[in-house]
Amino acid sequence: MKAKDFEERFDNGESVMPFADLSGAERPNQKTRRVNVDFPAWMVDALDREAEHLGVTRQALVKVWIANCLTRDAHTAHRP
């Protein structure tokens, strides 16, 4: 399929997925690595309460909180 036809289908709201080769597709900066962190029981309980309140998993909550902290504090990491 020519790029022009692909773009036309996309612009018309048609699915272009059958024509896309995703075999080598990657999401940048999305490769995961497993880490283990030990928390005191009271902290796990507090995380679970907050996660339940927000309707997310404990893991999702921890990831979002850490990402927010890293993003917020990124400017201080590059100071001499």
Side-chain angles (χ1 to χ4, degrees):
M1 168 177 286
K2 294 184 178 182
K4 180 182 174 188
D5 297 331
F6 187 89
E7 290 174 3
E8 187 175 315
R9 284 178 183 260
F10 179 82
D11 290 341
N12 291 336
E14 299 175 40
S15 175
V16 293
M17 295 311 294
F19 308 104
D21 178 11
L22 302 178
S23 61
E26 293 182 17
R27 295 178 66 193
N29 297 320
Q30 296 298 316
K31 186 175 180 180
T32 61
R33 291 178 49 192
R34 182 171 299 278
V35 297
N36 295 314
V37 181
D38 295 326
F39 294 112
W42 69 266
M43 196 178 290
V44 174
D45 293 340
L47 284 167
D48 288 344
R49 282 192 303 275
E50 185 65 17
E52 184 176 351
H53 172 73
L54 295 173
V56 298
T57 64
R58 180 193 311 148
Q59 181 176 354
L61 178 67
V62 170
K63 283 183 187 180
V64 168
W65 281 359
I66 291 174
N68 286 344
C69 289
L70 292 172
T71 302
R72 182 192 67 220
D73 298 338
H75 65 279
T76 61
H78 299 295
R79 289 189 180 171

